[in-house]
């Protein structure tokens, strides 16, 4: 009895004694087990899709950098956009001729208009990459006088832009030929006389192979253009009236281009020294400006007999040109 009671008492004593060695060991392990459970739960929740949705806090999306406001310009497919505004286009209007007719003067006068953007150089068949940038409502204008006398030009221009408006500045072909010769003579001193070049061997028939003479056959050149463009696409500007009444001729050109008459007589004054109208206020400047010294250069003296022979030669071509255009330029 005493043995069993002792056994029973030993067991009961071991369970009821708080300071026994087993109890102390278990108590010391409890914090470690709790920490292990917390760490395991954290690791499981860190894996994608393992934690309940309610326990997730989505990471904030990185903020997108806004482009500078000035760089946000609408882009039209196939057309380059300017850094500020505007785009490059094929010319809606061309000054196609003629050399020494007054094309440079016309171009400079038209550049005063705010709705015209013109290429200063002569690209000799327009290339859109060379064109100035224009806004909607502005007209891109280009000038190359050799177009009018180049046989392939009408076909090529029509194939690229059949709606192009065509401006031709014409001048008395005899005066124009002498002016052409004066320009060549200034670059090549020692040329034969004008008469020696205008007539075969100086005495024979007119030499139409000489470009100074050939350019003045306006009816023949226009006939080539009318194979591709109707007459309504043309405006013929008088080179003589461009000198005597620049505002009047500029008014006709602005009407033809569908523009408001902005360039008027208040923009011009006549320079008696050069014999040409000049601009009271040039584009981009507050000062008066005349065309360069190569414009309005003195003509060499040509015998009156040579002038009369050329006038007689051109007369039938001039009259045909008057009939074709419906304008009498008064050269005869």
């Amino acid at each position: 009895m005493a043995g069993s009671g002792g056994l029973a008492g030993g067991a009961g004593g071991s369970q009821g004694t708080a300071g026994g060695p087993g109890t102390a060991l278990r108590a010391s392990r409890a914090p470690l087990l709790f920490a292990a459970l917390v760490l395991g739960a954290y690791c499981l929740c860190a894996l994608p899709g393992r934690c309940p949705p309610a326990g997730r806090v989505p990471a904030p999306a990185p903020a997108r950098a806004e482009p500078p406001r000035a760089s946000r310009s609408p882009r039209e497919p196939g057309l380059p956009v300017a850094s500020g505004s505007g785009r490059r286009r094929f010319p809606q209007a061309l000054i196609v001729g003629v050399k020494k007719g007054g094309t440079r003067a016309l171009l400079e006068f038209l550049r005063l208009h705010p709705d015209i953007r013109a290429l200063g150089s002569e690209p000799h068949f327009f290339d859109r990459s060379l064109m100035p940038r224009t806004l909607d409502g502005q007209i891109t204008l280009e000038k190359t006088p050799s177009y009018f006398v180049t046989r392939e030009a009408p076909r090529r221009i029509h194939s690229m832009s059949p709606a192009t408006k065509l401006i031709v500045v014409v001048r008395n072909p005899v005066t124009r030929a002498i002016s052409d010769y004066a320009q060549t003579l200034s670059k090549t001193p020692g040329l034969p006389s004008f008469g020696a070049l205008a007539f075969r061997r100086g005495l024979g028939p007119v030499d139409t192979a000489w470009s100074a003479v050939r350019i003045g056959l306006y009816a023949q050149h226009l006939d080539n253009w009318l194979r591709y463009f109707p007459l309504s696409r043309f405006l013929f500007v008088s080179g003589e009236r461009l000198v005597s009444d620049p505002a009047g001729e500029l008014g006709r050109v602005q009407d033809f281009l569908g523009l408001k008459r902005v360039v008027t007589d208040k923009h011009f004054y006549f320079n008696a020294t050069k014999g040409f109208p000049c601009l009271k206020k040039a584009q981009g400047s507050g000062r008066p400006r005349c065309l360069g010294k190569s414009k309005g250069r003195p003509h060499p003296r040509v015998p009156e007999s040579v002038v009369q022979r050329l006038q007689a030669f051109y007369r039938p071509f001039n009259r045909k040109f008057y009939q074709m255009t419906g304008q009498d330029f008064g050269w005869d």
Side-chain angles (χ1 to χ4, degrees), residues 174-197:
V174 177
T175 310
R176 197 223 64 83
I178 296 172
S179 180
D180 198 337
Y181 172 77
Q183 182 182 52
T184 306
L185 186 64
S186 69
K187 299 176 181 178
T188 315
L191 280 179
S193 69
F194 177 83
L197 294 171

Side-chain angles (χ1 to χ4, degrees), residues 139-176:
I139 289 178
T140 303
L141 177 69
E142 186 246 298
K143 171 191 84 80
T144 301
S146 62
Y147 289 165
F148 190 62
V149 299
T150 301
R151 188 159 189 82
E152 299 80 16
R155 177 185 58 79
R156 295 182 66 188
I157 292 172
H158 184 271
S159 68
M160 297 185 73
S161 186
T164 303
K165 293 185 176 183
L166 305 164
I167 301 172
V168 189
V169 187
V170 290
R171 182 182 182 187
N172 184 321
V174 177
T175 310
R176 197 223 64 83

Side-chain angles (χ1 to χ4, degrees), residues 99-312:
K99 179 184 177 185
K100 308 309 296 179
T103 58
R104 171 56 62 179
L106 178 61
L107 180 71
E108 293 301 318
F109 297 162
L110 286 174
R111 292 175 82 173
L112 291 175
H113 200 294
D115 290 333
I116 290 179
R117 294 298 309 280
L119 186 67
S121 60
E122 298 175 3
H124 298 279
F125 200 74
F126 55 84
D127 178 346
R128 189 169 67 186
S129 67
L130 300 176
M131 295 299 121
R133 298 181 188 275
T134 54
L135 301 171
D136 290 339
Q138 289 184 318
I139 289 178
T140 303
L141 177 69
E142 186 246 298
K143 171 191 84 80
T144 301
S146 62
Y147 289 165
F148 190 62
V149 299
T150 301
R151 188 159 189 82
E152 299 80 16
R155 177 185 58 79
R156 295 182 66 188
I157 292 172
H158 184 271
S159 68
M160 297 185 73
S161 186
T164 303
K165 293 185 176 183
L166 305 164
I167 301 172
V168 189
V169 187
V170 290
R171 182 182 182 187
N172 184 321
V174 177
T175 310
R176 197 223 64 83
I178 296 172
S179 180
D180 198 337
Y181 172 77
Q183 182 182 52
T184 306
L185 186 64
S186 69
K187 299 176 181 178
T188 315
L191 280 179
S193 69
F194 177 83
L197 294 171
F199 304 101
R200 295 174 188 171
R201 296 180 298 280
L203 298 172
V206 174
D207 189 356
T208 56
W210 187 33
S211 65
V213 169
R214 188 177 66 253
I215 289 172
L217 301 174
Y218 303 142
Q220 291 186 0
H221 304 307
L222 179 59
D223 192 54
N224 182 43
W225 281 84
L226 292 178
R227 294 169 55 201
Y228 300 92
F229 292 92
L231 192 63
S232 60
R233 306 303 308 175
F234 291 85
L235 177 70
F236 300 94
V237 175
S238 166
E240 286 82 11
R241 285 195 295 271
L242 197 58
V243 173
S244 62
D245 181 18
E249 287 301 281
L250 263 290
R252 294 180 60 239
V253 176
Q254 290 169 95
D255 292 346
F256 175 68
L257 297 176
L259 298 174
K260 183 179 178 181
R261 288 196 177 196
V262 172
V263 185
T264 62
D265 54 1
K266 68 180 181 181
H267 291 94
F268 302 100
Y269 75 95
F270 190 79
N271 186 307
T273 302
K274 293 183 71 70
F276 265 82
C278 297
L279 299 175
K280 290 181 180 177
K281 183 178 179 182
Q283 184 186 39
S285 170
R287 296 181 302 173
R289 177 176 178 270
C290 285
L291 297 177
K293 60 183 179 181
S294 65
K295 306 300 179 182
R297 64 166 59 89
H299 288 179
R301 183 184 176 279
V302 177
E304 186 62 24
S305 60
V306 171
V307 172
Q308 290 178 357
R309 283 189 64 192
L310 272 182
Q311 286 176 337

